[in-house]
Amino acid sequence: MTATLTRPAWTTKFEIETIDKLIAQHAPHFPTTRLQEPRQLTTEEELENFYRFRIGGAAHDLYIVQVCSKIIDQIPDPELQLFLSRQIGDDGAHSQFTRRRVWELSGHDPIDKIVQEVQNHWEFMGDLPIRNWLGFIAFELHYELHIVAQLILNSRTTTIVDPETSTFASQTILPDEAVHRFGVLAWWQSKYDKASPAEKAEIATQLLELDEEGQRRRNPYLKKHWQIVRDATGAEIEGLGVIYDAWRREVLSYFLDIPIAKLPQLVSVSE
């Protein structure tokens, strides 16, 4: 796994172009743009599904806050600490917005349910995110990078929305999350690109092992989560797994500067 490739700049445009390429190759039934405008939530069942979906989103963000808060004191790198201070603040604000929106619509503070969902993340991820610096990178890959394709496809096929949540997502969450992805990549490259070829090979082997562990740990959660998304938003999930797997290979290829053909066989989200 020592072959290298010439990488284009990682931008949101690069992400979209790569995902559209994967759609054409693996799941052409997915659109490359939104085909119709979604409608607003109307029924009690739709609201209940929305609450469950957004409580999961708030928990996802709060879990990131908790992991990063532990790591910021474990890795004595000021560049990483400054980046994580931004990520912690952003994801904390995202979680708080979602909590308040569900509270406003339902009349009940969902914090206890959010905390319970956060605990679920700690249970299925174990100590992986805080085990060492490469475990933390594997965590960032899974919670920031590997999910990009599914989020884009969900946004294109969603048929039911809460307009206030959608506005906050487009104006705040999406640009914040792009900053997080670019920040993770920049810090990783500042370390990985300075390593010798032998060191890179060892780092790549270790990160792949940790990323594979993370995928195994997250598989049951992802399958359940995708169904929750489907129930709440009407988004298409048939064929999502093959795009997820292909996108994950693209991410790892880019991060490790290794051609996809040189990567080992990876755990599938469908396993």
Side-chain angles (χ1 to χ4, degrees):
M1 295 191 299
T2 58
T4 61
L5 48 84
T6 301
R7 294 173 292 185
W10 187 287
T11 63
T12 53
K13 180 181 178 182
F14 170 76
E15 291 173 340
I16 295 295
E17 290 176 346
T18 302
I19 290 166
D20 286 346
K21 176 192 71 175
L22 298 177
I23 289 172
Q25 292 174 347
H26 301 289
H29 66 285
F30 278 111
T32 55
T33 186
R34 178 180 290 281
L35 299 180
Q36 65 183 62
E37 287 301 312
R39 62 173 177 81
Q40 295 187 32
L41 299 160
T42 55
T43 69
E44 284 299 318
E45 181 181 7
E46 288 172 353
L47 283 166
E48 289 297 327
N49 288 336
F50 173 77
Y51 302 153
R52 186 183 184 196
F53 167 48
R54 295 318 303 144
I55 286 169
H60 171 97
D61 291 332
L62 181 53
Y63 176 64
I64 291 173
V65 168
Q66 292 182 2
V67 170
C68 292
S69 296
K70 289 178 179 292
I71 286 294
I72 204 169
D73 191 45
Q74 292 183 18
I75 302 178
D77 184 316
E79 293 294 343
L80 178 64
Q81 291 168 342
L82 289 170
F83 163 67
L84 291 182
S85 69
R86 164 73 190 262
Q87 188 177 13
I88 289 168
D90 288 346
D91 281 315
H94 301 168
S95 186
Q96 185 73 314
F97 169 86
T98 302
R99 172 196 180 185
R100 289 174 174 169
R101 184 57 179 156
V102 172
W103 193 346
E104 179 182 4
L105 291 173
S106 69
H108 302 286
D109 183 359
I111 190 62
D112 290 342
K113 292 181 179 179
I114 293 170
V115 169
Q116 183 179 6
E117 289 293 324
V118 171
Q119 184 58 37
N120 289 340
H121 283 272
W122 280 110
E123 288 175 359
F124 66 69
M125 289 299 287
D127 73 340
L128 176 63
I130 58 174
R131 189 179 302 163
N132 52 40
W133 78 278
L134 286 174
F136 176 67
I137 290 295
F139 155 80
E140 289 278 26
L141 287 172
H142 278 285
Y143 279 77
E144 296 288 352
L145 274 297
H146 292 337
I147 62 173
V148 171
Q150 72 183 57
L151 295 175
I152 289 175
L153 294 184
N154 288 345
S155 71
R156 292 175 180 176
T157 61
T158 289
T159 60
I160 308 170
V161 298
D162 168 50
E164 188 166 331
T165 296
S166 295
T167 298
F168 182 77
S170 63
Q171 295 181 355
T172 303
I173 294 179
L174 291 181
D176 285 349
E177 293 304 321
V179 169
H180 301 171
R181 296 194 299 276
F182 302 157
V184 170
L185 175 60
W187 188 76
W188 164 258
Q189 289 179 327
S190 74
K191 305 300 180 185
Y192 188 67
D193 290 354
K194 293 178 182 177
S196 69
E199 290 170 334
K200 280 187 175 181
E202 179 60 25
I203 291 171
T205 297
Q206 292 181 38
L207 182 60
L208 282 169
E209 290 176 355
L210 292 164
D211 192 81
E212 288 281 80
E213 178 184 341
Q215 192 61 54
R216 293 187 188 94
R217 288 176 175 273
R218 277 173 59 79
N219 273 352
Y221 160 79
L222 285 172
K223 294 167 189 173
K224 181 179 179 181
H225 173 68
W226 290 351
Q227 188 58 54
I228 290 171
V229 172
R230 171 68 175 173
D231 293 342
T233 71
E236 178 62 64
I237 61 173
E238 184 68 31
L240 185 56
V242 68
I243 298 297
Y244 177 95
D245 288 344
W247 170 250
R248 180 171 166 242
R249 288 192 293 270
E250 294 281 350
V251 171
L252 290 171
S253 171
Y254 192 102
F255 265 65
L256 299 175
D257 201 18
I258 297 172
I260 289 176
K262 297 290 184 179
L263 291 174
Q265 182 69 34
L266 299 178
V267 172
S268 170
V269 70
S270 301
E271 293 181 22

